[in-house]
């Protein structure tokens, strides 16, 4: 589904990614871990197409198409979702109204009509029930006074509604409490299917107590230096990152 080959990327002429190779297939959950500043968020930004990052070498292929030159909207329309896409507060625009607009924008881009209101309502109800989101939350103004857990609830709800093929969740944000971690974990576990894939970026080993990734990768200094299964995450929890550094020299 997602094939990244020898990806190099820079921001303001500073090389951040220095040859990342990653293969994500449908049905898989990949966790990307690594020390602060190793390039995890940069990798997420480059996959979703944030403008300030420049790909200087390598390729990003999504469902057989080279997406490295596409703008972020186009990538989203191809089915890539990035958390923190809409962190802004929008007073007067509710959680549901916002997602309705996003869905219809998506459909418009594909040349489809707006989703009929009844179908939209049904979908909202289904997804909210699936994720244990109450009705009151859905009518709140977007991000206004949201707690960390509520922000996560909103993101996971957006993800559920947009039904992306690939979700990239960057959970390196500080202030993620246990409630917020559980919201994310619950969402990922419930929305995961044989047709979609998740790349979960985190430096919280604790999140992986709730989500079992199929693969764990360690990103250090812009490269994936080690890959393994969930056992690798436990090893990292126990030993930190230094032993990998030592292995490399
Ligand atoms: N917009 C930017 N402008 C300048 N430097 C940046 C920018 N974004 C990231 N960096 C730098 O790139 C490196 C990797 O950052 P980042 O990808 O956020 O790491 P991580 O998410 O693993 O903590 C850091 O040295 C950071 O300072
Ligand atoms: Mg980060």
């Amino acid at each position: 589904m997602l094939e990244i080959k020898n990806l190099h990327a820079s921001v303001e002429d500073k090389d951040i990614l220095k040859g990342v190779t990653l293969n994500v297939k449908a049905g898989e959950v990949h966790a990307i871990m690594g020390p602060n500043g190793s390039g995890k968020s940069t990798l997420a930004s480059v996959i979703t197409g944030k403008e300030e990052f420049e790909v200087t070498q390598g390729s990003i292929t999504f469902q057989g198409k080279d997406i490295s030159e596409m703008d972020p909207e186009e990538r989203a329309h191809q089915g890539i979702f990035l958390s923190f896409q809409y962190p802004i507060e929008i007073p007067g625009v509710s959680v549901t109204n916002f997602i309705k607009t996003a869905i219809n924008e998506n459909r418009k881009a594909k040349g489809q009509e707006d989703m009929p209101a009844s179908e939209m309502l049904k979908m909202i109800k289904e997804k909210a029930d699936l994720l244990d989101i109450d009705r009151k939350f859905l009518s709140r103004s977007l991000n206004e006074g949201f707690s960390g857990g509520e922000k996560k609830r909103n993101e996971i709800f957006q993800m559920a509604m947009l039904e992306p093929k690939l979700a990239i969740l960057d959970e390196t944000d500080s202030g993620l409490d246990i409630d917020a971690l559980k919201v994310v974990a619950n969402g990922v576990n419930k929305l995961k299917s044989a047709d979609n894939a998740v790349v979960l970026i985190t430096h919280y080993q604790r999140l992986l107590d709730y989500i079992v990734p199929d693969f764990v990768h360690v990103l250090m200094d812009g490269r994936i230096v080690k890959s393994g299964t969930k056992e690798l995450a436990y090893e990292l929890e126990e030993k930190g990152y230094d032993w990998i550094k030592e292995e490399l020299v």
Side-chain angles (χ1 to χ4, degrees), residues 4-11 13-22 32 37-48 53-60 201 218-224:
I4 298 177
K5 278 198 198 121
N6 189 32
L7 184 68
H8 290 246
S10 62
V11 60
D13 291 327
K14 186 174 152 199
D15 292 329
I16 310 286
L17 300 182
K18 301 170 183 171
V20 172
T21 294
L22 178 70
I32 298 189
S38 57
K40 302 183 298 296
S41 296
T42 300
L43 178 61
S45 299
V46 171
I47 298 170
T48 51
F53 297 91
E54 196 194 341
V55 172
T56 51
Q57 240 192 89
S59 63
I60 313 173
I201 296 173
V218 181
L219 190 69
M220 276 174 121
D221 193 23
R223 287 186 195 91
I224 289 177

Side-chain angles (χ1 to χ4, degrees), residues 73 76-77 81 85-86 93-110 112 114-115 120 142 157-159 161-162:
E73 287 73 29
H77 295 149
F81 175 87
Q85 241 170 341
Y86 315 110
V93 174
S94 66
V95 168
T96 29
N97 276 331
F98 187 84
I99 195 64
K100 279 181 193 169
T101 307
I103 286 179
N104 284 330
E105 286 295 321
N106 234 331
R107 291 171 69 104
K108 205 194 277 171
K110 289 183 195 148
Q112 296 168 345
D114 278 4
M115 186 183 281
M120 184 77 82
L142 196 77
F157 178 65
Q158 287 177 355
M159 178 171 116
M161 290 293 292
L162 290 166

Side-chain angles (χ1 to χ4, degrees), residues 130-145:
L130 178 73
L131 298 170
D132 297 319
I133 291 173
D134 67 35
R135 297 298 130 82
K136 239 199 251 154
F137 178 75
L138 297 177
S139 56
R140 290 203 27 204
S141 277
L142 196 77
N143 287 326
E144 210 179 13

Side-chain angles (χ1 to χ4, degrees), residues 6-226:
N6 189 32
L7 184 68
H8 290 246
S10 62
V11 60
E12 293 170 353
D13 291 327
K14 186 174 152 199
D15 292 329
I16 310 286
L17 300 182
K18 301 170 183 171
V20 172
T21 294
L22 178 70
N23 226 316
V24 179
K25 297 199 184 73
E28 295 176 347
V29 176
H30 289 244
I32 298 189
M33 312 189 74
N36 266 330
S38 57
K40 302 183 298 296
S41 296
T42 300
L43 178 61
S45 299
V46 171
I47 298 170
T48 51
K50 263 204 198 150
E51 273 91 0
E52 62 257 45
F53 297 91
E54 196 194 341
V55 172
T56 51
Q57 240 192 89
S59 63
I60 313 173
T61 311
F62 181 64
Q63 298 194 300
K65 271 189 215 166
D66 182 351
I67 60 164
S68 51
E69 297 298 320
M70 288 183 189
D71 63 32
E73 287 73 29
E74 219 176 321
R75 296 185 207 208
H77 295 149
Q78 303 283 324
I80 300 179
F81 175 87
L82 174 66
S83 66
F84 298 139
Q85 241 170 341
Y86 315 110
I88 27 145
E89 286 187 15
I90 316 185
V93 174
S94 66
V95 168
T96 29
N97 276 331
F98 187 84
I99 195 64
K100 279 181 193 169
T101 307
I103 286 179
N104 284 330
E105 286 295 321
N106 234 331
R107 291 171 69 104
K108 205 194 277 171
K110 289 183 195 148
Q112 296 168 345
E113 301 275 304
D114 278 4
M115 186 183 281
S118 59
E119 198 181 313
M120 184 77 82
L121 271 176
K122 190 165 159 261
M123 190 174 181
I124 289 171
K125 195 178 170 305
E126 274 172 18
K127 303 289 183 179
D129 287 348
L130 178 73
L131 298 170
D132 297 319
I133 291 173
D134 67 35
R135 297 298 130 82
K136 239 199 251 154
F137 178 75
L138 297 177
S139 56
R140 290 203 27 204
S141 277
L142 196 77
N143 287 326
E144 210 179 13
F146 278 13
S147 68
E150 285 165 346
K151 281 189 185 140
K152 289 291 142 189
R153 200 156 281 137
N154 177 47
E155 280 168 16
I156 293 295
F157 178 65
Q158 287 177 355
M159 178 171 116
M161 290 293 292
L162 290 166
E163 301 182 324
K165 300 205 173 72
L166 173 69
I168 300 170
L169 305 176
D170 189 347
E171 304 302 341
T172 54
D173 190 23
S174 57
L176 264 194
D177 55 20
I178 261 301
D179 175 44
L181 287 183
K182 282 185 180 161
V183 168
V184 173
N186 177 48
V188 169
N189 291 332
K190 285 194 171 155
L191 298 170
K192 144 180 186 164
S193 79
D195 304 318
N196 62 28
V198 178
V199 173
L200 184 66
I201 296 173
T202 182
H203 57 206
Y204 288 92
Q205 276 94 356
R206 262 165 109 187
L207 182 55
L208 303 181
D209 289 342
Y210 304 104
I211 300 173
V212 179
D214 299 294
F215 299 97
V216 173
H217 310 278
V218 181
L219 190 69
M220 276 174 121
D221 193 23
R223 287 186 195 91
I224 289 177
V225 294
K226 201 169 182 70

